[in-house]
Amino acid sequence: SGIVSKGIIRKNDIYYFGPNKLGNFKYVEVETIHCKKQEVDIAYEGQFSSLSLTGEQYDPTEVSKGMCLISTNTGF
């Protein structure tokens, strides 16, 4: 969970998630979004949101403070 600092996050969209301990980013899909204990389809800039992530490369045990989601459309 965290605050959406820029843009929006959409349910079922693909994002880069990281960096992990090796400095790498992995592809993840946003499975669900919750804002104020309500399930929503979109989280907007400035909202505190909780996300459920999924993906082939995603390992929930690797999640740590400071990790972020980055849009795959940024040319990263």
Side-chain angles (χ1 to χ4, degrees):
S1 63
I3 296 176
V4 180
S5 61
K6 244 184 191 180
I8 59 175
I9 297 175
R10 291 191 166 119
K11 182 177 175 182
N12 298 322
D13 277 2
I14 306 292
Y15 294 91
Y16 294 116
F17 181 66
N20 61 14
K21 292 180 182 180
L22 300 175
N24 299 321
F25 285 77
K26 296 183 179 184
Y27 289 106
V28 295
E29 180 179 352
V30 176
E31 197 169 45
T32 61
I33 304 171
H34 284 80
C35 295
K36 297 184 180 179
K37 298 182 181 180
Q38 297 293 318
E39 188 169 343
V40 296
D41 291 333
I42 299 174
Y44 296 95
E45 186 173 327
Q47 283 186 318
F48 186 85
S49 305
S50 297
L51 308 174
S52 174
L53 305 174
T54 186
E56 290 180 18
Q57 303 175 340
Y58 174 66
D59 181 4
T61 62
E62 291 183 354
V63 176
S64 63
K65 185 176 180 178
M67 295 179 91
C68 60
L69 286 176
I70 300 175
S71 173
T72 55
N73 298 328
T74 60
F76 171 71

